Amino acid sequence: ETQENVRRDPRSPEMEDLPLDDIGDRTSVSVGDLTQDGITVTYSYVTVLDGPFVYQIFSMTGGIDTGEVIRETAEALVSAPMNRMAEQYDPEGGSSGGIWSKLDGVQPDMPKGSTTNDVILYPLSFATPDASMREAPRLDLDDPDSIAGLESLDRVTYTDGTGATTEASGVFRIDAMILTFDSAETAHAEATALGNTLIEPFSITRGGGGVEGSGENFNRTAFYEGFIRDRSLPAGNVAILIQQEGPVVVAVVVYAVDEDPRSLADAILLILLERGFPDEGDPVLQGLTPQEGPVATPAP
């Protein structure tokens, strides 16, 4: 799935396979160059299956033999044994024992000033000491009464009428919503929770945003882009945009196949802010129409 996601990303460089058949039971390597402002960076994505272990390696390199770095890293991970000592977690990069002993075997040459950090991703409930992470706040959009300070919630889903399994290229679904809260402060806080809710069914590859203003006059913006994970939907791309202005939060999610949906999401977000939901027949909808009745929420 990782290799597939890389190849589907409209912004990723043209990827080529690199044979590493002699490492592990099964190895897949994709390598590609991307040049910007005269600087060429090589991106590498490696997946190695060896017995009960699956290793993933992501690298960004410049001016060196990327193949050698990949081989050294993969061989170090596969050859290093697990240490039976109790795991000692150090977020600053000094973790030891257990599975960390495999990761400790990777010692690449890094530019001066580089930093190392260790993270435990799963399972949080059994993580080593100090590795627990606070649960990110979310909004239950199917239960508006559970959302603090919410005064109104309007949602419209636009589809192409061919069903969720369409294989045609282009935009096939748009989710738009407008939430009104009892104050700008509440809206500002809940905009973050809304973002956590909307990105959950997707593999997000990039995102960002910011806050404008000060005191009581502040607004929040956020964007996320990535891939659709829900297997009931086509294997496509997604763009999520959220804007909070005063007590109002608007959001749009655009789903597309073989197309970058970001520019369309920008256009629809602007319409939501200026005049509300686009009407059927609006050119910005690209032929999609409002869905009647309940629409299935993408599953995480």
Side-chain angles (χ1 to χ4, degrees), residues 139-177:
L139 300 185
D140 186 350
L141 298 175
D142 296 322
D143 183 12
D145 290 336
S146 67
I147 303 176
L150 182 67
E151 294 188 345
S152 65
L153 167 59
D154 296 296
R155 302 166 65 185
V156 178
T157 292
Y158 305 88
T159 69
D160 60 5
T162 62
T165 57
T166 177
E167 295 299 332
S169 297
V171 176
F172 66 89
R173 173 171 167 172
I174 299 171
D175 294 338
M177 60 197 71

Side-chain angles (χ1 to χ4, degrees), residues 93-154:
S95 301
S96 61
I99 202 74
W100 295 112
S101 59
K102 280 185 164 291
L103 299 169
D104 285 342
V106 179
Q107 300 290 336
D109 292 330
M110 300 293 290
K112 184 178 180 180
S114 298
T115 59
T116 303
N117 61 83
D118 293 343
V119 178
I120 292 179
L121 299 179
Y122 179 86
L124 292 179
S125 57
F126 297 103
T128 49
D130 301 322
S132 60
M133 298 173 62
R134 185 172 62 89
E135 182 70 18
R138 293 178 175 82
L139 300 185
D140 186 350
L141 298 175
D142 296 322
D143 183 12
D145 290 336
S146 67
I147 303 176
L150 182 67
E151 294 188 345
S152 65
L153 167 59
D154 296 296

Side-chain angles (χ1 to χ4, degrees), residues 6-50:
V6 170
R7 296 180 186 279
R8 279 167 38 197
D9 188 344
R11 294 181 181 82
S12 69
E14 188 70 25
M15 308 300 286
E16 298 181 358
D17 293 333
L18 181 67
L20 284 179
D21 298 333
D22 57 332
I23 299 179
D25 300 326
R26 178 181 171 188
T27 303
S28 176
V29 184
S30 297
V31 179
D33 293 335
L34 190 63
T35 302
Q36 289 183 306
D37 299 327
I39 300 175
T40 298
V41 176
T42 301
Y43 294 83
S44 307
Y45 303 86
V46 186
T47 306
V48 180
L49 168 65
D50 185 64

Side-chain angles (χ1 to χ4, degrees), residues 60-275:
M60 297 170 58
T61 58
I64 62 175
D65 185 345
T66 302
E68 182 179 351
V69 173
I70 292 174
R71 174 172 291 279
E72 289 179 353
T73 303
E75 288 178 341
L77 289 170
V78 171
S79 62
M82 280 187 61
N83 191 312
R84 296 302 175 183
M85 293 175 56
E87 292 186 353
Q88 299 293 322
Y89 173 64
D90 176 9
E92 301 301 321
S95 301
S96 61
I99 202 74
W100 295 112
S101 59
K102 280 185 164 291
L103 299 169
D104 285 342
V106 179
Q107 300 290 336
D109 292 330
M110 300 293 290
K112 184 178 180 180
S114 298
T115 59
T116 303
N117 61 83
D118 293 343
V119 178
I120 292 179
L121 299 179
Y122 179 86
L124 292 179
S125 57
F126 297 103
T128 49
D130 301 322
S132 60
M133 298 173 62
R134 185 172 62 89
E135 182 70 18
R138 293 178 175 82
L139 300 185
D140 186 350
L141 298 175
D142 296 322
D143 183 12
D145 290 336
S146 67
I147 303 176
L150 182 67
E151 294 188 345
S152 65
L153 167 59
D154 296 296
R155 302 166 65 185
V156 178
T157 292
Y158 305 88
T159 69
D160 60 5
T162 62
T165 57
T166 177
E167 295 299 332
S169 297
V171 176
F172 66 89
R173 173 171 167 172
I174 299 171
D175 294 338
M177 60 197 71
I178 303 176
L179 300 83
T180 304
F181 292 88
D182 56 10
S183 68
E185 290 79 8
T186 303
H188 184 79
E190 297 302 332
T192 299
L194 177 62
N196 295 333
T197 300
L198 295 180
I199 68 175
E200 193 168 7
F202 308 107
S203 297
I204 301 301
T205 58
R206 71 193 76 241
V211 178
E212 297 179 354
S214 61
E216 297 181 358
N217 300 314
F218 51 78
N219 300 320
R220 179 185 294 276
T221 62
F223 75 89
Y224 309 91
E225 298 171 81
F227 310 108
I228 299 169
R229 282 191 301 172
D230 187 344
R231 294 187 179 276
S232 69
L233 297 173
N237 305 313
V238 65
I240 303 169
L241 272 65
I242 301 170
Q243 176 77 42
Q244 172 257 324
E245 291 191 358
V248 177
V249 178
V250 300
V252 59
V253 185
V254 179
Y255 309 68
V257 175
D258 297 331
E259 184 176 310
D260 184 355
R262 174 61 190 270
S263 60
L264 180 59
D266 284 326
I268 294 176
L269 188 75
L270 185 60
I271 292 175
L272 292 173
L273 289 168
E274 292 182 345
R275 55 183 173 87

